[in-house]
């Protein structure tokens, strides 16, 4: 199933401040399940997590989430896997201490990253990141 050409209704898109005072449009992860229920009923999500322990004082341990998305279609099932990694703590160079993550929590941040990356491998929503590309041909491929 090719999700590249599936337009995401504008009401599901959000904007945030990007680098250099630019606006970045994105799809919040919590909007994707409802969209997938519409576009590909019966889709499946399987996750697993592991802690990656560095063991040194210079690098924080990280939580890694692996998210496998399976879409079912008339020709069979297709699976894509995304990986998200989030540091358990961040080093504050001003105070010389380890601190918790700045936004959200480690588990939801790494899941969100893995979940969105798995769907990106299907091409879902990629057109919003390609300025000037149409939904009909988001990759600018000449036929």
């Amino acid at each position: 199933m090719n999700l590249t050409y599936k337009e995401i209704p504008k009401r599901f898109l959000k904007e945030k401040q990007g680098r250099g005072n630019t606006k970045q449009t994105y799809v919040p992860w919590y909007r994707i399940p409802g969209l997938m229920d519409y576009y590909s009923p019966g889709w499946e999500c399987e996750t697993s997590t592991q802690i990656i322990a560095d063991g040194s004082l210079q690098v924080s341990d990280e939580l890694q989430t692996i998210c496998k998305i399976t879409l079912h279609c008339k020709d069979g099932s297709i699976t894509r896997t995304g990986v998200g990694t989030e540091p358990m703590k961040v080093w504050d160079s001003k105070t010389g201490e380890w601190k918790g993550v700045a936004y959200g929590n480690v588990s939801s941040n790494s899941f969100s990253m893995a979940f969105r990356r798995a769907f990106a491998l299907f091409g879902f929503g990629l057109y919003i990141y390609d300025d000037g590309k149409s939904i009909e041909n988001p990759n600018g491929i000449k036929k």
Side-chain angles (χ1 to χ4, degrees):
M1 163 169 267
N2 186 353
L3 293 173
T4 303
Y5 303 110
K6 302 293 184 189
E7 183 172 6
I8 300 168
K10 291 192 187 314
R11 69 181 182 276
F12 294 118
L13 300 176
K14 297 278 186 186
E15 282 189 348
K16 65 180 176 182
Q17 194 70 27
R19 293 184 181 148
N21 288 331
T22 60
K23 289 184 180 178
Q24 184 179 8
T25 303
Y26 69 101
V27 184
W29 74 267
Y30 56 85
R31 295 291 192 190
I32 296 173
L35 291 166
M36 293 315 303
D37 287 344
Y38 178 77
Y39 289 132
S40 184
W43 66 278
E44 297 177 44
C45 175
E46 177 184 334
T47 61
S48 61
T49 59
Q50 63 183 1
I51 294 176
I52 301 171
D54 179 79
S56 75
L57 297 176
Q58 300 299 318
V59 180
S60 170
D61 295 343
E62 297 177 324
L63 180 69
Q64 183 179 70
T65 300
I66 300 166
C67 184
K68 292 171 68 173
I69 302 293
T70 301
L71 304 181
H72 305 287
C73 45
K74 63 182 177 182
D75 295 333
S77 298
I78 305 165
T79 300
R80 299 288 183 263
T81 303
V83 177
T85 304
E86 186 75 12
M88 306 280 272
K89 295 179 181 178
V90 292
W91 181 255
D92 186 333
S93 59
K94 291 180 182 177
T95 64
E97 299 175 332
W98 289 102
K99 295 192 174 187
V101 293
Y103 179 81
N105 67 57
V106 174
S107 179
S108 64
N109 289 351
S110 66
F111 171 78
S112 171
M113 188 184 302
F115 189 71
R116 287 180 286 122
R117 286 178 174 177
F119 276 108
L121 292 173
F122 284 107
F124 186 65
L126 290 182
Y127 72 91
I128 65 175
Y129 300 102
D130 294 328
D131 293 338
K133 303 287 194 305
S134 69
I135 292 169
E136 291 77 28
N137 190 4
N139 297 318
I141 299 170
K142 294 182 180 180
K143 294 181 181 181

